[in-house]
Amino acid sequence: MTDSPTQPTSADPSQNPRILIVGSAGQLGRELEQIFADVGPIVAVDRESVDLADPDQTRDLVRRTAPDVILNSAAYTAVDRAESEMPLAHAINALGPRILAEEAAERNALLVHYSTDYVFDGSKQDPWTEHDTPAPLSVYGASKLAGEQAIQNSRARHLIFRTSWVYGPHGNNFLLTMLRLARERDRLSIVDDQIGAPTTSIALARATREIVTGVWAGRFGPVQDWSGLYHMSCAGSVSWFGFAQAIFARASGQLGVKAPELVPIGAKDYPTAAARPRNSVLSNAKLHARFGVQLPSWQSALDEVMARLQGRPGSE
Ligand SMILES: NC(=O)c1ccc[n+]([C@@H]2O[C@H](COP(=O)([O-])OP(=O)(O)OC[C@H]3O[C@@H](n4cnc5c(N)ncnc54)[C@H](OP(=O)(O)O)[C@@H]3O)[C@@H](O)[C@H]2O)c1
């Protein structure tokens, strides 16, 4: 746990907000901790400090740290394993957020939470909006949807950001898996009939900061004007195969990685425990209209991550 100096809880925008980050060792949590460093005093915890599946520990954490803003980037994210660990996935992804929301409501704190494109079944041709009806194909998607609903049904001031295909310079993600596999194999078969928007932990953390600091400063008006659910992903869309091509187009130049031969395959030829949506591209129009925030294209966000990795290939 990183524990910074404390100051009294205050909803006074002239004071810096006290921030609690849950899930600080995850891809997004690491970026949030860095990007919010100068916003206010931070308490950042991961699962060795709190088990989000344990309501008593979660309540105790919030009461002890007395935050003005809770950033919850912790989640059960093992999409395939969730199929055989449904109770645990729901405890972490639905019960945990419910308790955070109850505690946030109790002290009038803002709860920021992240959800997933996998709440949708992928059947739509166009990008999914916040008005579209979720119909998760997987236990993971259902558990995240239940987390959204628990927060929406609470009295907490909240921002739920649904995002997609998250990756960054650290952690478990498609980019780092591709770079590792390229060192082991000459040929990779990659799914080409699932479309989404790869989104970096860096872009997500920056956009979150812009919105949270604006909310705190009163720039977006009263709570009923901004509290709610928003889609937040990098602009554009691509298949996993196209994403892999873009990764190796950059990695072979910048990181000196030998690009493997890439073979496009259908999802039916790559069976996984959990089904995934065919099209999970999110429309970010509501986010832009409400907060004036737009994430970069997935290509330029990828450039930024590659630049961060440069100089330390294979360090993850
Ligand atoms: N990754 C994606 O592709 C993706 C796509 C769409 C949406 N999202 C959402 O975006 C958010 C951030 O995801 P991410 O990619 O940063 O996830 P991540 O890298 O898997 O990080 C999640 C963090 O939560 C922690 N955690 C897991 N179980 C916990 C528990 N019981 N108590 C406390 N902490 C626990 C994990 O710790 P351990 O590592 O020790 O388990 C990990 O540090 C999540 O809400 C996720 O659902 C992710």
Side-chain angles (χ1 to χ4, degrees):
M1 186 186 301
T2 315
D3 210 334
S4 307
T6 55
Q7 64 176 63
T9 299
S10 166
D12 174 359
S14 66
Q15 307 260 319
N16 292 334
R18 289 167 50 89
I19 298 161
L20 171 62
I21 300 177
V22 187
S24 61
Q27 300 194 80
L28 177 58
R30 288 173 78 134
E31 295 300 330
L32 287 171
E33 192 174 355
Q34 282 182 27
I35 284 172
F36 275 79
D38 61 350
V39 173
I42 293 179
V43 175
V45 297
D46 212 298
R47 70 186 312 161
E48 66 264 12
S49 306
V50 66
D51 179 0
L52 205 50
D54 181 328
D56 291 339
Q57 283 187 31
T58 306
R59 286 189 199 287
D60 179 59
L61 171 74
V62 180
R63 291 176 189 180
R64 212 162 18 84
T65 53
D68 300 304
V69 177
I70 302 170
L71 304 176
N72 178 33
S73 58
Y76 181 109
T77 55
V79 176
D80 290 313
R81 205 168 65 225
E83 295 299 309
S84 55
E85 291 189 343
M86 185 162 81
L88 184 59
H90 275 266
I92 297 170
N93 290 345
L95 175 61
R98 194 189 93 200
I99 305 297
L100 288 176
E102 286 174 7
E103 290 301 311
E106 208 44 50
R107 52 179 300 102
N108 204 25
L110 163 63
L111 174 60
V112 180
H113 178 77
Y114 299 86
S115 189
T116 174
D117 53 336
Y118 284 10
V119 297
F120 294 116
D121 66 9
S123 60
K124 202 179 166 187
Q125 297 297 325
D126 297 323
W128 295 88
T129 74
E130 291 82 350
H131 293 299
D132 288 323
T133 305
L137 299 174
S138 62
V139 167
Y140 168 73
S143 70
K144 294 293 293 184
L145 179 61
E148 291 179 3
Q149 290 166 341
I151 294 169
Q152 288 168 319
N153 292 334
S154 77
R155 290 177 298 103
R157 304 187 298 148
H158 63 267
L159 290 164
I160 301 169
F161 297 130
R162 269 190 200 142
T163 188
S164 61
W165 295 24
V166 177
Y167 72 102
H170 308 280
N172 256 336
N173 63 53
F174 184 80
L175 165 69
L176 296 175
T177 301
M178 285 297 108
L179 296 180
R180 176 175 52 78
L181 290 177
R183 289 194 294 273
E184 297 166 4
R185 301 191 207 161
D186 298 326
R187 195 167 187 265
L188 298 177
S189 299
I190 313 282
V191 171
D192 196 29
D193 56 1
Q194 288 167 358
I195 310 288
T199 299
T200 65
S201 48
I202 305 169
L204 281 174
R206 279 198 196 118
T208 302
R209 180 197 154 113
E210 201 171 324
I211 294 167
V212 168
T213 53
V215 161
W216 182 253
R219 272 208 302 282
F220 301 121
V223 59
Q224 62 273 18
D225 285 3
W226 51 260
S227 187
L229 168 71
Y230 299 85
H231 290 177
M232 181 188 272
S233 58
C234 280
S237 62
V238 69
S239 71
W240 292 111
F241 175 76
F243 187 29
Q245 284 182 311
I247 289 169
F248 288 115
R250 290 158 175 81
S252 41
Q254 297 169 21
L255 301 179
V257 172
K258 186 172 164 293
E261 180 194 349
L262 297 176
V263 182
I265 58 167
K268 67 173 184 5
D269 297 318
Y270 187 76
T272 51
R276 286 161 171 78
R278 190 181 50 74
N279 168 31
S280 68
V281 181
L282 302 174
S283 161
N284 295 301
K286 184 182 175 192
L287 188 85
H288 187 232
R290 185 64 203 88
F291 300 114
V293 165
Q294 229 166 354
L295 272 62
S297 71
W298 68 264
Q299 294 96 330
S300 63
L302 174 59
D303 287 338
E304 183 176 19
V305 173
M306 297 305 286
R308 279 223 201 160
L309 289 178
Q310 213 167 355
R312 56 183 187 88
S315 63
E316 288 299 312

